[in-house]
Amino acid sequence: MTKKEALQLFEQRKVRTVWDGQEEKWYFSIVDVCDVLTDSKDATAYWRKLKQRLKEEGNETVTNCHGLKLRAADGKMRMTDVADTEQLFRIIQSIPSPKAEPFKQWMAQVASQRLDQMQDPELNIDQAIMDYKRLGNSDA
């Protein structure tokens, strides 16, 4: 499985993502999305409670989500619940937030950019250079 980690920004807030080249899908950190949409003091607890509620309702989306190792704030790779675009749209519908619609548009933009990069490798190189510089690295 070819995976490519990326840090995406939604309204200057970080959302960890990983691209699965074999499945050709983006996976998004659910906790990061909960944090962005709810401004909760503890996004992990918010997701835990939401997951419990969705399971009680018989929602299969939560059952189909899985964990992947993503880089945590401390720099270590930790198992994180992730969802693909379709699963995440369903989860977002369960979060009462005025940010939901702009977030859906942002997700569509992220997916579109990746598809464009797959069609034109030069765009992928340009993105890699921008990411490299954004992380504080210099040309020298």
Side-chain angles (χ1 to χ4, degrees), residues 43-65:
T44 303
Y46 187 97
W47 167 234
R48 203 171 28 251
K49 188 68 176 169
L50 178 62
K51 182 167 40 172
Q52 176 187 358
R53 190 185 68 187
L54 291 171
K55 281 183 181 178
E56 289 169 0
E57 293 173 359
N59 185 314
E60 292 294 317
T61 302
V62 176
T63 306
N64 296 331
C65 293

Side-chain angles (χ1 to χ4, degrees), residues 20-50:
D20 183 330
Q22 186 174 357
E23 293 186 35
E24 296 188 349
K25 288 184 179 182
W26 275 111
Y27 287 94
F28 298 80
S29 164
I30 299 171
V31 171
D32 292 355
V33 172
C34 288
D35 184 47
V36 166
L37 293 180
T38 67
D39 294 322
S40 172
K41 291 183 196 260
D42 186 350
T44 303
Y46 187 97
W47 167 234
R48 203 171 28 251
K49 188 68 176 169
L50 178 62

Side-chain angles (χ1 to χ4, degrees), residues 51-124:
K51 182 167 40 172
Q52 176 187 358
R53 190 185 68 187
L54 291 171
K55 281 183 181 178
E56 289 169 0
E57 293 173 359
N59 185 314
E60 292 294 317
T61 302
V62 176
T63 306
N64 296 331
C65 293
H66 59 280
L68 291 175
K69 285 192 173 186
L70 295 177
R71 194 165 312 282
D74 63 5
K76 294 181 181 176
M77 299 298 282
R78 301 193 188 276
M79 288 300 288
T80 305
D81 283 344
V82 297
D84 66 22
T85 305
E86 183 179 342
Q87 294 165 329
L88 198 55
F89 277 131
R90 175 59 189 100
I91 292 168
I92 290 170
Q93 290 172 343
S94 302
I95 299 174
S97 171
K99 295 180 183 178
E101 189 56 35
F103 192 85
K104 289 177 191 178
Q105 292 172 358
W106 171 81
M107 283 177 55
Q109 179 185 6
V110 168
S112 177
Q113 286 173 346
R114 179 59 187 154
L115 291 172
D116 290 346
Q117 289 171 358
M118 288 172 60
Q119 295 299 317
D120 183 355
E122 186 176 336
L123 295 174
N124 201 14

